[in-house]
Amino acid sequence: MPYKNIELRRQRGRERYLRQREERLKYAHEYYMKNIDEMREKNRVRAHESRDKYKARIQAYLEKNKETRNAKCRAYYHEHKDRLAARVKEYHIEHHDEIALKRAQAKAELRNARQMCPAFKFVDKIRLANPELYMTKYRIGSNLAHKAAKTCVAIVAGDYTLCPICSNCTMSGKEMECKCPMPNVFEFENAVSEIRQRAADIVMANQK
């Protein structure tokens, strides 16, 4: 049975909200500041748990609309290619030193990863031996060494002893996955055993 005088009830509700608005905002702010660490940790856990679900949903959308998106991108490029080329040239001239420094940094990271990163050695072998399998996780032109170096001190320093897997080749696969920043590497079959073996090889090669 519908409420009588529903508009009157709504009006009273709005008036009550306006009277209590400042008090409610103050209470919400005080509650947030009091529980900020706990709430942030819950948000981090929730984001981590939802990451794979949202990633799969986005990937499915991109695959479904791949041809349409590609056609729109091509049409936009052909319509604006002169302006885009001029903008790229202008940017490179303006940021020449910064770009050169970033290229040198990326080159050093790639060299270090090839020499002393067991996870990179594993995926690089896949890239060379089975490009189709490699492309299920990465783009061919992806600089995985640079992506991993954002949190990998071993690649940045070029020191294999700073790699947690090289420091403990017998750690569990779960530990490897938690400590290694190389993206998507443990999604490949036999990744744990292959990376563990490469870590042992790196340690032996540097101890000769």
Side-chain angles (χ1 to χ4, degrees):
M1 181 177 179
Y3 289 115
K4 294 181 179 179
N5 301 320
I6 189 168
E7 288 302 324
L8 179 60
R9 289 172 179 266
R10 287 174 176 172
Q11 179 62 29
R12 288 175 177 174
R14 286 191 289 267
E15 291 172 353
R16 184 168 56 252
Y17 170 78
L18 290 174
R19 287 196 304 270
Q20 299 174 350
R21 182 174 182 272
E22 293 301 324
E23 183 180 348
R24 291 186 179 190
L25 288 175
K26 181 181 178 181
Y27 173 80
H29 179 71
E30 290 175 351
Y31 179 85
Y32 174 77
M33 295 305 297
K34 183 179 179 180
N35 299 276
I36 186 170
D37 293 333
E38 181 183 352
M39 294 175 70
R40 284 179 174 175
E41 180 59 29
K42 286 182 178 179
N43 288 337
R44 281 193 289 268
V45 171
R46 192 180 301 114
H48 182 75
E49 291 174 347
S50 303
R51 182 178 57 187
D52 292 339
K53 180 178 68 174
Y54 289 129
K55 183 179 178 182
R57 186 183 299 175
I58 292 171
Q59 189 64 35
Y61 173 82
L62 293 177
E63 287 296 327
K64 182 179 179 180
N65 298 275
K66 184 177 180 179
E67 293 302 322
T68 303
R69 292 175 62 253
N70 288 345
K72 287 182 178 179
C73 288
R74 285 192 296 268
Y76 182 87
Y77 171 76
H78 285 297
E79 184 178 353
H80 303 280
K81 61 181 179 181
D82 292 337
R83 181 170 60 85
L84 293 173
R87 184 183 298 175
V88 170
K89 184 178 180 180
E90 180 182 348
Y91 179 87
H92 277 257
I93 293 173
E94 185 178 348
H95 299 85
H96 177 270
D97 294 340
E98 180 184 349
I99 292 171
L101 181 62
K102 287 184 177 180
R103 284 177 177 171
Q105 178 185 356
K107 187 175 181 180
E109 291 165 350
L110 182 59
R111 181 180 65 248
N112 291 342
R114 283 175 172 166
Q115 292 175 352
M116 44 68 60
C117 176
F120 183 85
K121 285 178 174 287
F122 170 63
V123 293
D124 203 40
K125 180 182 177 182
I126 295 176
R127 179 181 66 86
L128 297 172
N130 192 344
E132 291 78 13
L133 177 59
Y134 179 88
M135 290 174 66
T136 61
K137 305 298 179 184
Y138 313 110
R139 294 179 180 178
I140 281 294
S142 295
N143 188 341
L144 300 182
H146 180 65
K147 290 182 179 180
K150 291 178 181 179
T151 53
C152 180
V153 294
I155 290 178
V156 174
D159 184 352
Y160 81 96
T161 64
L162 298 177
C163 170
I165 301 176
C166 288
S167 297
N168 180 12
C169 300
T170 61
M171 73 168 57
S172 69
K174 203 69 177 177
E175 284 182 287
M176 286 188 189
E177 191 170 353
C178 290
K179 294 182 177 182
C180 178
M182 189 65 64
N184 307 110
V185 65
F186 292 95
E187 296 177 15
F188 289 106
E189 188 177 359
N190 300 323
V192 171
S193 59
E194 293 277 354
I195 292 172
R196 180 179 285 123
Q197 182 58 55
R198 280 164 178 75
D201 292 343
I202 290 170
V203 173
M204 290 186 62
N206 282 275
Q207 290 179 346
K208 289 182 180 179

